[in-house]
Amino acid sequence: MEKSRSPIRLLGMTVIFLVMMFAMSVHVSAATMPKLNYYQKSVYLGHTMQLKATSGTVKSWSSSNSSIVSVNSRGVVSGRKIGTAKIYAKFANKTLNCTVNVRPVNKSKYITNAQMRVMLNVLGAVETGGQVYGKRDYSDFTSPYTNSGAEYSCTAGAYQEYGENLRQLLLKIQKEYPLTFKKYDTAGIASDLKRNWYFSPYTVRKGSAKANAIVNIISARSSGRLVQDYRAMELIEEYLRDARGLGITNVRAALFAAECEHQGGYSAMKRIVQRASNKNSISSLYTSLTQDSPYSNQIGALKYRTRHRLCRDWITQHISASAKLK
């Protein structure tokens, strides 16, 4: 005679069955959950990018500001004006969005794209690239007072953004790539950005939780690194404007003056330019720089000479002597 199954065994089998059914439903639910291929992305002005669902079906597309980015019925996004906007994808029961940053193809009013790339290669090399042309360290972080007693705030990134400039870099990343910023801000950096770091120096030390969070934010691929490059171009544009204001029209001379301003500020650059026998000669500017006190913290001091000599040589190698500012 067949033995009857015990209540305990039947209960155990029922529990296993229910667990399996729950696991299958969770798996199916996760697999069909709506997803986009991007949640934050950059597109050049006048160019397009493709947004699409990697899971689920998009019923309709729309833009938060079609004058900046537009989107058609197939999810093709077009960059129309410099700025940031959101593209919305409406699914059956949910709406997802992607933050899109429209970037300029040519940012400078004074130099060409190729000349701008040379300057990025120069600054990256002397700041964090081990003095190797074209190399740069996007994750670099320098504590206050590391290089001199005058550096009372921290410095970070491939192009060594100091104090308030670093804050502006982080604010730009926060605005353009909010998901990346939120993901890596594990130490309350967003709160720190609410105050000005020029009037209230940011004295975070390398290796601290805040320093590590900043490094993760600024060095993230396709976001922090990209913004660093564009932020550097913005600064270079300011330096070139200052050089033009002092009467410089030669590109070689202007880029060398820009490198001086990046290291020492406007006053230091102005001193070098006004002391030069020919402000439109990169050789003359370098000679003027070497007239700074050799054992001081001035940008022409001996400890900085190799940096400036390399900048002079690279600019001379890659930029035509006859190149003029626009």
Side-chain angles (χ1 to χ4, degrees):
M1 183 174 67
E2 183 179 354
K3 294 182 179 179
S4 61
R5 296 178 181 177
S6 70
I8 294 177
R9 186 179 179 187
L10 286 172
L11 178 61
M13 292 176 66
T14 303
V15 170
I16 292 173
F17 175 76
L18 291 174
V19 169
M20 290 177 64
M21 292 298 294
F22 176 76
M24 289 175 64
S25 71
V26 170
H27 176 74
V28 171
S29 176
T32 58
M33 183 176 291
K35 293 180 182 178
L36 293 176
N37 57 334
Y38 298 111
Y39 289 95
Q40 49 187 14
K41 185 69 173 174
S42 292
V43 61
Y44 286 110
L45 181 65
H47 290 223
T48 62
M49 57 170 277
Q50 179 68 62
L51 269 180
K52 60 184 179 180
T54 58
S55 181
T57 302
V58 178
K59 301 296 184 182
S60 63
W61 297 92
S62 61
S63 172
S64 65
N65 190 334
S66 57
S67 68
I68 295 177
V69 284
S70 62
V71 61
N72 67 16
S73 60
R74 302 186 307 277
V76 177
V77 176
S78 300
R80 296 185 173 277
K81 188 173 73 173
I82 307 303
T84 302
K86 290 183 182 293
I87 296 297
Y88 294 97
K90 185 176 181 181
F91 293 80
N93 299 310
K94 191 171 187 177
T95 298
L96 301 178
N97 68 78
C98 174
T99 300
V100 179
N101 308 300
V102 182
R103 299 188 175 282
V105 177
N106 184 358
K107 198 172 183 66
S108 179
K109 296 179 181 178
Y110 304 103
I111 56 178
T112 66
N113 287 341
Q115 291 165 348
M116 180 63 81
R117 285 195 295 272
V118 169
M119 193 58 188
L120 289 177
N121 286 337
V122 168
L123 284 185
V126 296
E127 292 292 1
T128 59
Q131 299 186 335
V132 177
Y133 179 79
K135 289 200 172 184
R136 62 205 73 169
D137 180 5
Y138 290 97
S139 62
D140 187 84
F141 189 96
T142 305
S143 300
Y145 305 109
T146 299
N147 296 318
S148 77
E151 292 186 0
Y152 47 78
S153 190
C154 60
T155 309
Y159 307 100
Q160 292 289 271
E161 300 253 29
Y162 172 73
E164 178 61 14
N165 280 343
L166 174 58
R167 173 175 170 266
Q168 293 301 320
L169 169 64
L170 289 163
L171 284 170
K172 198 170 186 66
I173 296 173
Q174 184 184 40
K175 177 182 178 181
E176 297 187 8
Y177 296 96
L179 296 180
T180 297
F181 189 96
K182 186 176 181 179
K183 175 182 178 181
Y184 292 116
D185 183 14
T186 56
I189 304 303
S191 178
D192 296 344
L193 296 179
K194 295 178 182 179
R195 62 181 176 86
N196 187 297
W197 293 359
Y198 177 81
F199 298 106
S200 180
Y202 201 59
T203 55
V204 168
R205 309 297 299 184
K206 184 175 182 178
S208 66
K210 287 184 180 293
N212 291 338
I214 289 173
V215 167
N216 289 333
I217 292 168
I218 66 177
S219 63
R221 293 184 180 275
S222 302
S223 54
R225 298 185 184 197
L226 188 63
V227 174
Q228 282 199 55
D229 286 345
Y230 274 88
R231 173 66 183 155
M233 286 192 281
E234 288 178 344
L235 291 174
I236 291 168
E237 192 76 350
E238 293 176 12
Y239 303 152
L240 294 175
R241 179 199 63 204
D242 292 340
R244 170 67 69 80
L246 292 173
I248 296 178
T249 58
N250 178 270
V251 173
R252 282 184 176 180
L255 293 184
F256 187 78
E259 188 275 321
C260 290
E261 183 169 356
H262 187 72
Q263 184 195 8
Y266 177 75
S267 295
M269 184 273 285
K270 183 178 180 181
R271 178 181 72 249
I272 301 304
V273 172
Q274 292 185 332
R275 192 168 57 196
S277 59
N278 181 358
K279 65 181 68 175
N280 278 299
S281 164
I282 191 171
S283 296
S284 180
L285 290 177
Y286 180 78
T287 298
S288 173
L289 180 139
T290 60
Q291 294 171 10
D292 274 354
S293 177
Y295 303 108
S296 66
N297 279 324
Q298 293 182 310
I299 63 172
L302 285 173
K303 59 185 176 182
Y304 301 128
R305 293 280 173 86
T306 299
R307 168 197 174 109
H308 295 294
R309 176 177 54 78
L310 287 171
C311 290
R312 178 200 63 188
D313 293 347
W314 288 328
I315 291 171
T316 300
Q317 178 183 352
H318 295 283
I319 302 294
S320 169
S322 60
K324 301 292 182 183
L325 294 177
K326 295 178 185 178

